[in-house]
Amino acid sequence: MSDAPVARPTGSSRLGDTLAGRGHTTLILLVSLLTSCLTMLWSYQAKIKCGGPPFLAEGRSSHWPVGDPNAVVPCYSDLMFLWVGRDINNHVFPYINGGISPDGKLFGGVVEYPVLSGMFMWLGAIGAHTDTEFFQHSVWLLVPFGLAITVMLAFMTRWWVLLWSATPPLVLYAFHNWELPVVATVVGGVAVMAWSSTISPRTGERRLSVRTAAILAAILFAVGFCLKLYPGFFVLPLAAYVLTYGAVPGARKALDWAGAVWVAIAATVTVVAIQLPFMVLGFEGWKAALSFQGERKSDVDTNSIWYWGLRHFTGGQTDTYNSLVGLLSPVLIMASFALAVHLGWRAHQRDGIYPWIGVCASMLAGFMLFHKVHSPQYTLWILPFFVLLKVRWPVIAAYLVADFILDTTIFRLFGIYTSGSPMQWWVITGVNVGVWVHAVVLAYLLFAFVSAPLREPLASFGRQPRAGGPERVLTPS
């Protein structure tokens, strides 16, 4: 290397670099937001074909649930389906006066989702008199969350955000169910940790302490738990990150036990604060939602490895099949969680940093693989982790192609079963391909996510040069 002095940038050149950087960020935001709007518009146009006049009793469209049978993107949407059967069409406030019947049917405003998702459904039904109006109102509630996710991913991953905003899953699932709010809580938790670790130009230190940032992220994950449960799992790796932050691998001291406990307390208090009013005012209705999910069987509409695999070895959906699923599913989920946390700890021992984002993604992969229900729209859950982490392109492509095949065949399969029409080979083949490719990829990701590096600039947030020494890394994973 040359000993010649290095030219330092002048004030005008630094200003030019700053403006160029801001211009690049603005371009990324504009493009990603535009693609998000286009994909969500496409999703709306595809799903609305299941609605519209003429309407039957209780405001159900006569076009539901098929719409255009030749359309590439199925128009079926849970947003329309749940209009009837959960008292949403009767504008009953959720959970307070309802319950579950002996034959497993919900009544009195109870829906089979955590309480905040139920509140979104109730809000979407205000002023609606048909399933189509309910769908349209719900779309307006969901769109801001989709755009917020895009903005956060754009700042953390730059052009990689297009993997979220410009790929088929947002078309297929943006308005299939109430997934966008819960995904926003997960991405928001990562974004809080990322922003907090950036260096303030005024103080030269990180914007928030690790404890404070993790507590805020844990609160967001707890809110997500009250929407669709799975973000609550992420409090554990987040607490492990706080516990080990600054600790020397192999040392017995410098573990921040108090900080880890505060993360857990923040999440617990948030969940209790949200759930307690429903428990007090309508415990039976609140409990009914949990009972419904606990009693749900793994059947044809769950897309799980259990129905498409284990069922063939038990002679169908027998009592033996249901018992095995009821035992194996939770046991394997918990084992996958333990494996993900263990792999993260080994990475910490090796690299000095607990890869909490990768561990979160690994836990999600295990949950999606072994849970008795694997709804197609769960792809929106895992897609942000493909954006945040450097996962191999063939793996991402295989998952998304299999997902498209599954979504475009499973709803045709439902129609065949309902109508009694002859089975078409390409439909049943497509469903099996989608289910089993997903399973293989998720099994791989259970290990690969933990070791996958973060994408830039997320990986570089918070790196602060130390005078006369090595770089100090304050990244969130």
PDB file of all heavy atoms in Angstrom, residues 58 178 199 278 306:
ATOM      1  N   GLU A  58     -78.231 -12.557   3.652  1.00  0.00           N
ATOM      2  CA  GLU A  58     -77.157 -12.159   4.554  1.00  0.00           C
ATOM      3  C   GLU A  58     -76.021 -11.423   3.843  1.00  0.00           C
ATOM      4  O   GLU A  58     -74.917 -11.319   4.360  1.00  0.00           O
ATOM      5  CB  GLU A  58     -76.586 -13.375   5.303  1.00  0.00           C
ATOM      6  CG  GLU A  58     -77.630 -14.074   6.176  1.00  0.00           C
ATOM      7  CD  GLU A  58     -77.069 -15.316   6.842  1.00  0.00           C
ATOM      8  OE1 GLU A  58     -76.464 -16.152   6.133  1.00  0.00           O
ATOM      9  OE2 GLU A  58     -77.233 -15.432   8.058  1.00  0.00           O
ATOM     10  N   TRP A 178     -55.947 -11.534   7.104  1.00  0.00           N
ATOM     11  CA  TRP A 178     -55.465 -10.349   7.812  1.00  0.00           C
ATOM     12  C   TRP A 178     -54.006 -10.542   8.219  1.00  0.00           C
ATOM     13  O   TRP A 178     -53.654 -10.513   9.397  1.00  0.00           O
ATOM     14  CB  TRP A 178     -56.352 -10.089   9.033  1.00  0.00           C
ATOM     15  CG  TRP A 178     -57.707  -9.577   8.672  1.00  0.00           C
ATOM     16  CD1 TRP A 178     -58.128  -8.275   8.618  1.00  0.00           C
ATOM     17  CD2 TRP A 178     -58.834 -10.366   8.283  1.00  0.00           C
ATOM     18  NE1 TRP A 178     -59.444  -8.212   8.225  1.00  0.00           N
ATOM     19  CE2 TRP A 178     -59.911  -9.476   8.007  1.00  0.00           C
ATOM     20  CE3 TRP A 178     -59.060 -11.731   8.122  1.00  0.00           C
ATOM     21  CZ2 TRP A 178     -61.169  -9.907   7.605  1.00  0.00           C
ATOM     22  CZ3 TRP A 178     -60.305 -12.165   7.712  1.00  0.00           C
ATOM     23  CH2 TRP A 178     -61.343 -11.255   7.457  1.00  0.00           C
ATOM     24  N   ILE A 199     -25.717   5.260  14.365  1.00  0.00           N
ATOM     25  CA  ILE A 199     -24.968   6.221  15.177  1.00  0.00           C
ATOM     26  C   ILE A 199     -25.530   7.626  14.993  1.00  0.00           C
ATOM     27  O   ILE A 199     -25.698   8.105  13.875  1.00  0.00           O
ATOM     28  CB  ILE A 199     -23.482   6.203  14.792  1.00  0.00           C
ATOM     29  CG1 ILE A 199     -22.933   4.779  14.919  1.00  0.00           C
ATOM     30  CG2 ILE A 199     -22.691   7.168  15.654  1.00  0.00           C
ATOM     31  CD1 ILE A 199     -23.115   4.162  16.282  1.00  0.00           C
ATOM     32  N   PHE A 278     -60.794  -8.477  27.266  1.00  0.00           N
ATOM     33  CA  PHE A 278     -61.650  -9.490  26.659  1.00  0.00           C
ATOM     34  C   PHE A 278     -61.866 -10.665  27.614  1.00  0.00           C
ATOM     35  O   PHE A 278     -62.951 -11.239  27.662  1.00  0.00           O
ATOM     36  CB  PHE A 278     -61.016  -9.987  25.355  1.00  0.00           C
ATOM     37  CG  PHE A 278     -60.946  -8.936  24.287  1.00  0.00           C
ATOM     38  CD1 PHE A 278     -59.827  -8.134  24.157  1.00  0.00           C
ATOM     39  CD2 PHE A 278     -62.009  -8.730  23.418  1.00  0.00           C
ATOM     40  CE1 PHE A 278     -59.754  -7.158  23.169  1.00  0.00           C
ATOM     41  CE2 PHE A 278     -61.956  -7.762  22.437  1.00  0.00           C
ATOM     42  CZ  PHE A 278     -60.828  -6.969  22.308  1.00  0.00           C
ATOM     43  N   TRP A 306     -48.913 -33.304   7.377  1.00  0.00           N
ATOM     44  CA  TRP A 306     -49.645 -34.361   8.080  1.00  0.00           C
ATOM     45  C   TRP A 306     -50.746 -34.920   7.186  1.00  0.00           C
ATOM     46  O   TRP A 306     -50.855 -36.148   7.041  1.00  0.00           O
ATOM     47  CB  TRP A 306     -50.219 -33.821   9.386  1.00  0.00           C
ATOM     48  CG  TRP A 306     -49.190 -33.177  10.254  1.00  0.00           C
ATOM     49  CD1 TRP A 306     -49.069 -31.851  10.554  1.00  0.00           C
ATOM     50  CD2 TRP A 306     -48.095 -33.829  10.907  1.00  0.00           C
ATOM     51  NE1 TRP A 306     -47.989 -31.624  11.347  1.00  0.00           N
ATOM     52  CE2 TRP A 306     -47.363 -32.818  11.591  1.00  0.00           C
ATOM     53  CE3 TRP A 306     -47.663 -35.150  10.987  1.00  0.00           C
ATOM     54  CZ2 TRP A 306     -46.240 -33.113  12.347  1.00  0.00           C
ATOM     55  CZ3 TRP A 306     -46.532 -35.434  11.738  1.00  0.00           C
ATOM     56  CH2 TRP A 306     -45.836 -34.420  12.405  1.00  0.00           C
TER      57      TRP A 306
END
